[in-house]
Structures are given as structure tokens and as C-alpha cells.
Amino acid sequence: ADPPSRGEGHNPTKQAIMEAVRAGRVEAGARRAITGCPPHGRRTERRRSSVPWPRGVGRGRAASEPPSTAPRASLDKTERTEASRTASGSSGLDYSRLLECCEPDSAPLNVAVLVSGGVDSSVALQLLKRAGHKLRAFYLQIWFEEAFDNYWGECPWEDDLRYVQQVCEQAGVELEVVPLTKEYWDRVVSYSIDEIKAGCTPNPDMMCNSKIKFGAFVDHLEASYPAGEWDRIASGHYARVDRESRPGEATLCMSQDSKKDQTYFLASLRPGQVARCMFPIGCFPKDEVRALANAFALPNRDRKDSQGICFLGKVNFDEFIEKHLGTMEGPLVEDETGEVLGTHRGYWFHTIGQRKGIGLSHGPWYVSSKDIEQNVVYISRNYDSESRERSSFLCHGFNWIAGRTAAEVAEGGLRCKVRHGPGIYDCVFCWVDGEGGTARVDIRGKDHGFAPGQYAVFYDGCTCIGSAVIRSMPEPLTS
């Protein structure tokens, strides 16, 4: 699929936004993202944070100041303790591990911080500041025209960017907007459309991390800054990087919050990408991150977490799919009886386990399987029954990131996830047709949710060792 046209003469939405810019209705930072030009006009005076800054950590520079070249000593143990106590403020928090995931002993590192306007990346920015690193914040502009089409010309990233500006202003950290819309379309959106058309379940969030946040963005840094300028790329992901267990190596580890842990979405990174990562909030559960946001008096501290598929944002999923894949009517067949109960608009609108959007009464109905060649969608009211539970799957497309494969993990130590969340299974892994080809995974337990294209992520204890793509699909009971 090709990205939508951006011709000036055929883009009334963009023209409307530009008119809003000229009328002063869009903030200067958003103007830069739209036009690619730096903002003009009088600078706004930077507000100071109401949270005291720890001794030994600079407040940073205003957006107009050049990066400081003066050497800065890293925090000693006493100063880190004071930083922890200071940051807790009036909230009553007392974290001995406040900077544990920020590498304070290595400060000052040059850190490129990915900020989104959400609470997690904003807290990460503040923690890195207190750890003594030299920072620059980067906001990745990856929205595309469908977002405007569905929201009547409203700028879908305007709120995000406004919060990013406020957070960076408070911290005294320079902000740069990086337009990566084309790269995002080519590497994430097109992949997702192709996977959906093939009847698979794509994971755009995984592709966004490996191909954009720690891929195309790194390409931008290398093209725009001197070689070796950046020591780390930091983000607000719930994960940790262990640099001590295996000297000279960096391994991806689960965060302290099993529910929010995002190593599942990071398992498609390459080892070299993991080595450059830093995840400052990986040492905290979500409720403590929220408490830190209040202690830091962040402008966005009450903002809700983002939801939904990463590239769609506020775009309606069915409308997006219909625009790019069209419709193709086919039968809805009851799995147990083979009876045709209705029709669907195309198998690509449905995923295994889906409940909403089937449009039949006397439910609830679930999508139990699909026949892609015949365009048949099988449904059932007994999706949760034992007859549908699976304990094994085939997988391929392996990406190992910790110096060992799943087959090399000591007996009894291997675990896997088949989706984001706290659920994790003990499992057994064996090659089917030679190392690196196809493997069979048997989990200790039962699961309904194995679908082609879905990722399986493997762990040795709490260390994420890599990922694979699931090949198997549940067969209809009537076959």
C-alpha cells in the first residue's frame, strides 16, 4: 500500500491547518512539526519546576542555549540518596532505587530521550535529569493523513506536542521534533496492512520499536550529529537493561511491574539496539510512576495512558482497513455445526478471539478460525470451552537478543508470552526442521489465543532472550 498523497494542491486539511497556524491557533512547536521550520516570534519564559533539584545535578539549558561542554561529575552515593529523598517531595515516597535504572554511576552520558507527551516518558526525563546526564528530548512526528480525515481537520498530535513542550520547558531540556511519517508508513503501516491481508495478526507496536524508535530515529541521529555523539537512547518503556550480569553485554529484562511490563513489545530489537537503550522507569510499578509525576509536579501528571493500535491513534480501524483493502463479502459459519448464520465484509476485518463487530444476536459470538482462501469466518459461542484450548504452537522467524536460543536455556528455566500482559507460561522448546527453521513450543497450561502472525516472546527467568512469529492456526471443528 502506498502512503496517501501529500500534494499541496490536493490537501485541504493541511491548508486548513496552515491557516490555523497563521491565525495563531496552533502553538509554535506544532507549527514547526507541520512546516518543518523552526518556530518564530517571542520566546516564552521557562517556568521553573516546583520540585527542588538534587545537589550536584544541573538544571539544564534553555532551548536556545548550546549544549554545555563543561565536565560534570557523576553523583556519589550520598548525592544519589539525597536525590531520592528530594524527588519524593511531599508525596511520602522514599525510593532507594530512584535512579537505579538511570546509570547514575556513568554520568554524564549524552542521552537522547524519546518523549511522547505521556506520563511515563515525562517521568523518565526527570529521572535522567536528576541522574546527571546531558539530555536532549526528541518528539517523533509519525501521524499520517488518515488521522486528519477522521477528525475533521483537528491536529491529532497537537495535544501530545503541547504537553511535550511543557514538560521539556519545565525540565530545561531542549526539544527537537523529528518527522518520520514516511519511514513509519514504509516500515510499520505497510507491514500491518500486508499482514492483515494475509490473514495474520500483526503487531505494529513491535515494529514501531525496532524499526522506528530504535531504528529510523537512530538513523536520524547518526545523520544529524557527529559520530558517537549519543551514548544512550532513553524512553518511557516498562523494561530494564542489565549491564552487570554478563560483563560487556547488555540484556533486556522484565520491569518491576508485571502488568505493565513492555519487554514483549521490545523483543524484536537487535542486540546492538538493546545495548544503546535506557529505560529509567523500569524499576518502578505504574502507581509509583504516577506518584513520581505528582512529586515532580509534571504538567501532564493527570493525563490518562494512551490506548489502541500505535499507528492508528484516533483513526477508526474498520474505516482504515476498508480504505486500503476494500470489502469482500463471505459467509459467517458456526464452527460446531457448519451452518451459515450470516455474512461478513471480508476476513481481514476479523481476528481470532474477536467478539465485537460480528453483528449477530443470541451471542456472545467469537471468531474461532478463518479460511483465508475461501473467505470464510468461523464463529462460536463456546470459544472458551476446553475443546478450543491449545497447549502448543509452531513458530519461525526467530530473533535472539541475549546470546542464546530458547533451546539452550537450562531445563525448567524457559518461559514464554504470547501477548502483552502479565500472563507467562513455563514451556518446552524444540527444533522441528533444524536450528533456525521451525520450532515447536509446548506450554504448561492452555491458551485460546494462538494466531498466525502473533509473536511469541521467550524468557530465561526474567531475561528476555528473543522472539518468534507463530505459524499455527486453530482449525475449525467442522473440518
Side-chain angles (χ1 to χ4, degrees):
D2 294 323
S5 172
R6 299 182 181 278
E8 286 292 333
H10 301 85
N11 195 339
T13 304
K14 186 171 183 178
Q15 292 174 0
I17 293 176
M18 293 305 298
E19 290 175 3
V21 170
R22 287 191 287 271
R25 196 162 53 82
V26 179
E27 292 197 12
R31 182 184 315 168
R32 176 182 179 184
I34 295 169
T35 64
C37 301
H40 300 284
R42 182 175 58 86
R43 292 190 181 94
T44 305
E45 183 177 351
R46 179 167 61 88
R47 292 194 301 272
R48 292 185 178 274
S49 168
S50 60
V51 181
W53 290 79
R55 177 168 58 85
V57 182
R59 284 186 176 274
R61 59 189 184 277
S64 60
E65 298 174 358
S68 173
T69 56
R72 184 191 307 164
S74 56
L75 298 176
D76 60 25
K77 183 176 180 179
T78 302
E79 290 172 321
R80 291 199 300 275
T81 301
E82 182 180 341
S84 173
R85 184 169 54 251
T86 302
S88 66
S90 59
S91 66
L93 302 174
D94 186 14
Y95 299 132
S96 59
R97 66 186 190 284
L98 184 72
L99 305 178
E100 183 179 341
C101 288
C102 296
E103 300 185 57
D105 293 334
S106 300
L109 297 173
N110 286 335
V111 183
V113 189
L114 292 168
V115 287
S116 64
V119 169
D120 297 333
S121 63
S122 302
V123 169
L125 183 71
Q126 288 282 357
L127 292 174
L128 290 168
K129 193 73 178 179
R130 284 157 169 76
H133 297 302
K134 295 193 290 185
L135 312 175
R136 179 175 294 207
F138 294 86
Y139 174 79
L140 307 186
Q141 181 201 333
I142 54 178
W143 295 99
F144 52 98
E145 302 296 337
E146 271 95 339
F148 299 140
D149 296 342
N150 282 268
Y151 250 66
W152 302 96
E154 175 186 338
C155 174
W157 35 258
E158 186 176 349
D159 286 345
D160 291 340
L161 190 53
R162 179 165 54 247
Y163 279 119
V164 166
Q165 289 174 303
Q166 293 171 357
V167 167
C168 292
E169 199 173 81
Q170 180 194 53
V173 174
E174 185 174 356
L175 171 65
E176 180 178 331
V177 176
V178 181
L180 292 177
T181 296
K182 183 181 184 302
E183 293 83 353
Y184 197 69
W185 181 276
D186 293 342
R187 305 184 193 187
V188 179
V189 182
S190 292
Y191 145 82
S192 299
I193 293 171
D194 291 344
E195 287 289 288
I196 291 168
K197 186 175 182 179
C200 297
T201 302
N203 195 316
D205 294 286
M206 293 189 86
M207 293 297 103
C208 182
N209 286 324
S210 61
K211 304 297 185 182
I212 301 298
K213 293 178 181 177
F214 302 101
F217 172 60
V218 174
D219 295 340
H220 164 80
L221 293 180
E222 293 176 348
S224 305
Y225 294 90
E229 175 80 6
W230 301 102
D231 302 302
R232 299 285 186 270
I233 313 298
S235 69
H237 284 96
Y238 285 84
R240 294 180 297 123
V241 177
D242 179 5
R243 303 181 189 277
E244 298 179 358
S245 298
R246 299 167 68 96
E249 296 183 17
T251 54
L252 180 66
C253 299
M254 298 174 72
S255 74
Q256 296 293 329
D257 191 322
S258 61
K259 183 177 180 180
K260 296 292 291 185
D261 177 69
Q262 291 175 303
T263 53
Y264 180 85
F265 293 132
L266 295 164
S268 61
L269 296 183
R270 300 297 183 185
Q273 292 174 311
V274 173
R276 299 184 70 176
C277 288
M278 188 188 293
F279 304 118
I281 65 170
C283 298
F284 304 100
K286 179 67 179 188
D287 59 343
E288 293 183 0
V289 172
R290 282 282 179 187
L292 280 172
N294 286 315
F296 295 151
L298 293 179
N300 58 350
R301 58 188 176 274
D302 296 322
R303 200 175 190 201
K304 294 181 179 180
D305 294 340
S306 61
Q307 301 290 335
I309 299 174
C310 74
F311 71 82
L312 288 178
K314 298 175 180 178
V315 180
N316 179 278
F317 177 79
D318 282 355
E319 290 180 13
F320 175 84
I321 294 302
E322 182 175 351
K323 179 173 182 177
H324 292 280
L325 296 181
T327 61
M328 184 170 65
E329 187 174 286
L332 285 170
V333 177
E334 185 173 18
D335 205 338
E336 292 83 357
T337 66
E339 181 181 356
V340 177
L341 301 181
T343 61
H344 60 82
R345 300 193 304 136
Y347 65 81
W348 45 75
F349 290 100
H350 302 282
T351 58
I352 294 175
Q354 176 183 332
R355 175 179 173 180
K356 296 181 179 179
I358 295 176
L360 295 179
S361 58
H362 308 295
W365 294 96
Y366 296 85
V367 175
S368 55
S369 61
K370 298 186 291 185
D371 184 333
I372 306 307
E373 292 184 0
Q374 300 299 321
N375 191 31
V376 178
V377 174
Y378 291 92
I379 58 176
S380 173
R381 286 178 291 195
N382 303 306
Y383 185 73
D384 292 328
S385 68
E386 290 186 5
S387 64
R388 299 190 175 281
E389 293 179 336
R390 303 293 192 275
S391 60
S392 65
F393 57 85
L394 298 178
C395 56
H396 65 152
F398 301 97
N399 178 55
W400 305 115
I401 60 175
R404 57 195 180 278
T405 71
E408 297 171 308
V409 174
E411 184 177 352
L414 184 65
R415 304 190 294 170
C416 74
K417 288 186 177 187
V418 294
R419 64 184 60 83
H420 167 62
I424 190 167
Y425 294 105
D426 292 333
C427 64
V428 176
F429 179 101
C430 64
W431 297 111
V432 173
D433 55 3
E435 183 172 348
T438 299
R440 173 180 172 133
V441 177
D442 291 274
I443 64 172
R444 184 177 297 174
K446 300 284 187 178
D447 196 287
H448 297 89
F450 302 147
Q454 186 176 332
Y455 276 80
V457 174
F458 300 98
Y459 298 83
D460 183 354
C462 290
T463 299
C464 179
I465 64 170
S467 63
V469 180
I470 294 177
R471 288 180 53 182
S472 62
M473 175 189 287
E475 297 295 333
L477 297 179
T478 54
S479 64

